[in-house]
Amino acid sequence: MTSATREKKRRGGWFKEEFGTPERRLAYYMVLPAIIIIVAIAFFPIVYAILLSITDSTITGFGSFVGAENYVELFANPDFWEGLKNTVIFTVASVALEFIIGLGVALAINRAFRGRGLVRAAVLVPWAFPTVISAVMWRLMFQDEIGIISEMANAIGLVSEPILSDTTLLLISCILVDVWKTMPFMALLLLAGLQTIPGEVYEAARVDGANVTQRFFRITLPLLKGTILVAVLFRTLDAYRVYDLFWVLSSEQLESLSTFVFKSVRISQLLFAQGNAAAVFIFVTAFLIALVFIKVFGMQTGTEE
């Protein structure tokens, strides 16, 4: 028997095993409506966006096929590269800071102390604010001459010009505001992972003479690896599609990939095809980011064989 024949027989056996009994067929029939809805809601817009990105479509109608021309023009657009640069810097910096601070906060509130419930609730307050409200509030504090942060930064010589008029300072401000708002989410996920670690493990390590540093690096981090990867992946994908924070805090001055898409498709409309190409670029790169986390960093998304 050739390898091709064995492979065909193996596949046929799998099909018979999955659909050979009435109970299994009924199970597939019951989930079929949900699968159809998911395909219609999730995959149809993706496919349609891809089709728009390879045509000269406009806001008024579907165009003719142009191949990769829109992508060539997109990659030649300096605004796109500015948005990509800002998005990458924002994503890397904000997620790194949120993880470091969030892990420290999670370790602190995981300890037993008086008023721990109140502290946990207080930590989550920034996360409860809508992003737009947070951005407006922080923009007032960054405002030149009237904002408290602007006044303090000028008083100690940290800045020499208005924060809201410099794109570099605006980007740093967006990173800090995002860390303030979203760090509690990271801390909450890490706290959930910490609470799954049995206390007996730490007690045994203390008996064996392990100090705090050894317990952290040899017990906490290894046992928290899965939670860390999930938390970092979620925040990376969320930060990568940043839109509202840039749009409101910088008053449309700071470009990101998502703001570039919105301006091209909705506002300008002259760059409608490029905007769709940028939207597809965001989807593909976000998918690749998730794939890197799953494959390279060893995240398990299913049962191991």
Side-chain angles (χ1 to χ4, degrees), residues 9-57:
K9 184 177 180 180
R10 187 185 69 80
R11 291 180 179 178
W14 174 87
F15 185 84
K16 185 177 181 180
E17 181 182 354
E18 289 294 319
F19 297 95
T21 61
E23 292 82 4
R24 286 183 175 273
R25 287 198 297 271
L26 178 61
Y28 278 100
Y29 293 152
M30 292 180 69
V31 301
L32 185 61
I35 294 175
I36 294 175
I37 293 174
I38 292 173
V39 170
I41 294 177
F43 288 97
F44 174 75
I46 295 172
V47 173
Y48 188 65
I50 293 174
L51 290 176
L52 290 176
S53 71
I54 57 176
T55 63
D56 59 354
S57 302

Side-chain angles (χ1 to χ4, degrees), residues 286-301:
F287 177 79
L288 292 176
I289 290 172
L291 194 62
V292 167
F293 274 88
I294 293 170
K295 296 297 184 181
V296 176
F297 296 106
M299 287 185 61
Q300 300 297 321
T301 57

